[in-house]
Every structure is written in C-alpha cells, then in structure tokens.
C-alpha cells in the first residue's frame, strides 16, 4: 500500500464526523461534532433534527478534518462513507457529501456498513491486529457476536432477539430520570451503587444459543421501579443502575467467553458505544485473563460513533479493489455481510 489517503464521513445517527486516514490505520484527524446537546431536551435522537444538524455541520467538519490532517482535497485518494444502518435522512447527508467529493475529484467511493466500521476501530487501536477474531458488537442499535474470518468476511454467531444492549441502557436511564444518552450516565451512577442489591434476571436463552435478549430484564427493572413507587418506598437509583448494569454485562461477558472457547478463537474484540462501559471492560478483561483469551477494545473516542473507523473499513475495501457506484443509496436496515 502506497500512501492511500482516505477521507471518511459518518452521519448515521447524532454525530457528524469526518476523518482523514493514511493507509487505513493511521488517523491524521478524526473530527466529531456531537448533537447530543440538541437531542438531550427531547430525551432521545429526533431524526429530523439530526438530519438538519448534519446539513448545517457537514462542510465545516470536512474542512476542519482536512485542516487538522494538513491534507488538501487534491491529496485525497479515496472517499469512504457510512450508507447504513442508521437514520435514513441522517445517512443521506454524509452519503451525498461523499458522492459530491468523489465525483468532483474523480476518485473512488466506498460505502461502508456502520457495524463493520465499529469492528474496524480495533484495527486503528492496534495496528498489528489481524483477523480471525470474535467481535462483540454492542451499540445503541445492535448487539452481535460476529466471527471476523478475514477482512470483509463475517459470520454472525448470535444477535439480540429484541432490544440492543445500548437501547436497554438508554431506556432504563430514562426510567431512572437520567439524561440522554443513558449508557454513560448509568455507568457513572452504578459506581456509587451495590451491584448485588437487586437480583435482576439474566437471559441466557436455550443452551448453546449465542443470541441475546434484554426485554425481560428491562421489564423486570421497570416493574421493580413501579412497585417501589406504588408502595411509596425509597428508590435507590444507584443500586438499581449497578444491579441492572451487572445483569447486562454478565450475560454479554459469559456468552462472548463461551463462544470464544467453543470456537477455539483466542482473541475477542469489543466494539460499539457500549464497549465504552467501564464494568463491561473490567469484567470481560478479568474473564479473558482467566481463560487465556486476548481482549482488545478501542479507546472511548473510537468506541462511540466516529468517521475514523469508517475510513479504516473503507480503505480495506479500496485495497481489495471494491468501488461503490455513484447511485449508491442509503440503506437504513443494512445487515452486516451485505455490503
Ligand atoms: O455505537 P454508538 O455510539 O451508536 C450506535 O451505533 O448506536 O452507541 C451508542 C450507545 C448508546 O446506547 C449509549 O447509551 C451507549 O452506546 N453507551 C454506553 C456507554 N457509552 C455509550 N453504554 C453503557 N456504558 C457506557 N459508558
Ligand atoms: Zn454506532
């Protein structure tokens, strides 16, 4: 590979992010304009607001990313952009900008699957990491155990049958009166609580299944809150946060470890926004150590949505000779392995 400069764009949800990378794994800039403050007042992401904010931000974020990387448009070799899954109006903003740049500079474009991007954050964090490995992808919209066999080659071993892990964190945070996004708030509050205070259910499902389910746990926490309120009893939010978090993290950890052992895979890579959870990192690190499994996880900035991970995934497509056409459309429910 000879000095491939990738300009990458990510606008699938509530972060407008642009990154410039050299040869796929060296991040020259990774600018993230977060809309969290705009969505906080609504308690969640409002799709129309997200699209409008992306439009307002995109050109400035592109210019800032180029400036910080000390790269001009003419030095860019290749453009990468998220084209799904995500909010369609939000995705279209980044996709349109990427197409315009690719067309104007007459350089190749690659559409990237957002979930795939999350896994690639690990390649940036550890420049020596190579597949195969098992990836536990836990984000606001997804909970997957994926075997990454090679670059761009995946086998889904398990996934959630209902809520995603991050979605469960956000919903329980809301019920506890915490602000959006709930995951980091629960992570913080749980540190003040007792994880063994309440025994919430762990859904391991059928024996041998690597699927997940968080809706039963969510109902159990909501029922606990309602019953306390109806009885007029004191609600210890920190204990509830810690006990809920423990139930989620324990299932994620034990399923990932069991899967790694059964498949004889000795490396697990965490990915997605929930990979930022301190308890998940601790418990998984401890269990991996006990089982002689190597654990990798990206820094917090590379765990949550960012364009650098999209650029890394896009660059590997480019190197393999893939190229998206300029009529590429946004696919809100794009599955991994489909593109
Ligand atoms: O990957 P991401 O930034 O966006 C999606 O692709 O969905 O993930 C966002 C999710 C949100 O549900 C957020 O609450 C959760 O990641 N999250 C966390 C933490 N930081 C972010 N969940 C638990 N603990 C955290 N520290
Ligand atoms: Zn994401």
């Amino acid at each position: 590979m000879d000095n491939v400069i990738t300009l990458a764009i990510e606008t699938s949800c509530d972060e407008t992010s642009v990154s410039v990378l050299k040869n796929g794994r060296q991040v020259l800039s990774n600018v993230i304009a977060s809309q969290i403050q705009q969505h906080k007042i609504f308690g969640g992401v409002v799709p129309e607001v997200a699209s409008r904010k992306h439009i307002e931000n995109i050109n400035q974020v592109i210019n800032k990313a180029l400036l910080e990387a000390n790269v001009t448009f003419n030095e860019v070799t290749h453009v990468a952009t998220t084209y799904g899954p995500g909010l369609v109006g939000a995705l279209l903003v980044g996709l349109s900008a990427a197409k315009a740049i690719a067309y104007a500079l007459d350089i190749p474009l690659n559409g990237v699957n957002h979930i795939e991007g999350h896994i690639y954050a690990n390649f940036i964090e550890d420049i020596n990491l190579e597949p195969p490995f098992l990836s536990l992808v836990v984000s606001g919209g997804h909970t997957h155990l994926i075997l990454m066999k090679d670059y761009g080659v995946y086998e889904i071993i398990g996934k959630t049958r209902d809520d995603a892990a991050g979605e469960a964190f956000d919903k329980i945070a809301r019920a506890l009166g915490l602000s959006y996004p709930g995951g980091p708030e629960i992570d913080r509050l749980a540190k003040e609580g007792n994880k063994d205070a309440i025994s919430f259910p762990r859904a391991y499902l059928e024996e041998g299944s690597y699927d997940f389910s968080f809706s039963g746990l969510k109902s159990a926490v909501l029922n606990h809150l309602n019953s306390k309120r109806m009885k007029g009893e004191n609600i210890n939010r920190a204990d509830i946060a810690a006990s809920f978090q423990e139930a989620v993290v324990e299932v994620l950890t034990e399923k990932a470890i069991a899967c790694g052992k059964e498949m004889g895979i000795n490396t697990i890579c965490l990915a997605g926004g929930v990979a930022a959870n301190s308890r998940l990192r601790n418990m998984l690190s401890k269990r991996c150590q006990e089982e002689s499994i190597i654990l990798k996880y990206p820094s917090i900035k590379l765990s949550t949505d960012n364009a650098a991970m999209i650029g890394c995934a896009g660059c590997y497509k480019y190197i393999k000779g893939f190229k998206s056409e300029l009529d590429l459309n946004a696919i809100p429910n794009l599955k991994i392995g489909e593109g």
Side-chain angles (χ1 to χ4, degrees), residues 10 12-13 85 114-115 118 138-142 272-273 303-306 309:
E10 153 63 40
S12 68
C13 191
H114 181 83
I115 310 171
H118 273 301
V138 273
S139 72
H142 304 275
S303 294
T304 48
D305 290 351
N306 68 89
M309 64 185 197

Side-chain angles (χ1 to χ4, degrees), residues 167-325:
E167 196 180 349
F169 269 97
D170 294 339
K171 285 179 180 166
I172 295 306
R174 201 177 173 150
L176 290 174
L178 302 170
S179 64
Y180 175 85
E185 294 292 313
I186 291 200
D187 196 347
R188 213 169 299 130
L189 187 61
K191 293 196 170 84
E192 298 162 20
N194 173 7
K195 63 182 173 42
D196 303 315
I198 310 142
S199 169
F200 288 129
R202 274 81 167 143
Y204 282 100
L205 306 172
E206 318 82 66
E207 194 166 346
S209 169
Y210 293 116
D211 278 351
F212 301 92
S213 169
F214 296 109
S215 65
L217 169 62
K218 186 185 68 188
S219 302
V221 179
L222 296 179
N223 288 342
H224 174 86
L225 273 171
N226 284 340
S227 117
K228 286 269 175 199
R229 281 187 186 125
M230 274 161 66
K231 290 183 200 154
E233 289 175 10
N234 181 36
I235 291 173
N236 187 327
R237 297 194 313 164
D239 280 355
I240 296 174
S243 302
F244 158 76
Q245 177 176 269
E246 197 68 9
V248 176
V249 166
E250 194 180 296
V251 174
L252 291 174
T253 299
E254 290 312 323
K255 290 224 174 204
I257 296 280
C259 184
K261 280 171 71 179
E262 188 184 324
M263 303 192 87
I265 296 283
N266 79 334
T267 305
I268 296 179
C269 296
L270 256 181
V274 183
N277 185 267
S278 60
R279 183 66 185 135
L280 178 60
R281 289 179 178 221
N282 288 344
M283 195 190 285
L284 201 51
S285 297
K286 186 169 167 281
R287 291 289 293 117
C288 281
Q289 217 167 10
E290 285 165 7
E291 303 290 347
S292 303
I293 293 173
I294 299 162
L295 176 67
K296 303 275 174 194
Y297 46 77
S299 61
I300 304 277
K301 189 176 176 185
L302 289 173
S303 294
T304 48
D305 290 351
N306 68 89
M309 64 185 197
I310 302 300
C312 182
C315 188
Y316 276 91
K317 285 189 158 187
Y318 171 78
I319 296 163
K320 279 192 164 186
F322 289 115
K323 179 176 178 280
S324 301
E325 296 304 321

Side-chain angles (χ1 to χ4, degrees), residues 121-134:
N122 285 285
F123 291 122
I124 299 172
E125 203 63 55
D126 177 355
I127 55 160
N128 297 314
L129 178 68
E130 298 285 345
F133 54 74
L134 187 65

